[in-house]
Amino acid sequence: MKKNVLTRIFCFYYDGFRAMTVGRKLGLIILIKLFIIFIILKLLFFPDFLKSRFKTNQERSDYVIEQLTK
């Protein structure tokens, strides 16, 4: 039976990390790095500009359209 490509890729990495002696620690380090990248850095460097300046969706969309058509 032939597996889906994504399933084979997942199994490849899953078996690889499971077979490694330090695989769990590496997996934990990867998860911590992803958490820092996507959560901490987003909160610090990419605040929600539109939500902080405009109250309604219409105002936000008008601003975006205005900026795109300048």
Side-chain angles (χ1 to χ4, degrees), residues 49-56 59-60 63:
F49 174 77
L50 292 175
K51 202 168 203 170
S52 64
R53 292 207 176 188
F54 304 103
K55 292 180 182 177
T56 64
E59 291 174 345
R60 292 179 197 128
Y63 177 76

Side-chain angles (χ1 to χ4, degrees), residues 4-20:
N4 184 4
V5 173
L6 294 176
T7 304
R8 287 188 295 166
I9 291 171
F10 174 77
C11 289
F12 174 77
Y13 282 105
Y14 182 76
D15 291 340
F17 277 113
R18 198 171 61 178
M20 294 174 65

Side-chain angles (χ1 to χ4, degrees), residues 1-69:
M1 184 169 137
K2 191 171 184 176
K3 294 181 180 178
N4 184 4
V5 173
L6 294 176
T7 304
R8 287 188 295 166
I9 291 171
F10 174 77
C11 289
F12 174 77
Y13 282 105
Y14 182 76
D15 291 340
F17 277 113
R18 198 171 61 178
M20 294 174 65
T21 56
V22 292
R24 291 180 189 220
K25 289 181 183 176
L26 289 175
L28 182 64
I29 290 171
I30 290 170
L31 289 176
I32 291 170
K33 288 176 78 174
L34 288 174
F35 174 77
I36 290 171
I37 289 170
F38 288 110
I39 304 297
I40 303 296
L41 292 180
K42 184 195 178 307
L43 291 175
L44 292 176
F45 296 110
F46 304 107
D48 195 353
F49 174 77
L50 292 175
K51 202 168 203 170
S52 64
R53 292 207 176 188
F54 304 103
K55 292 180 182 177
T56 64
N57 285 338
Q58 184 63 40
E59 291 174 345
R60 292 179 197 128
S61 66
D62 290 342
Y63 177 76
V64 170
I65 289 171
E66 179 185 327
Q67 293 300 314
L68 289 174
T69 56

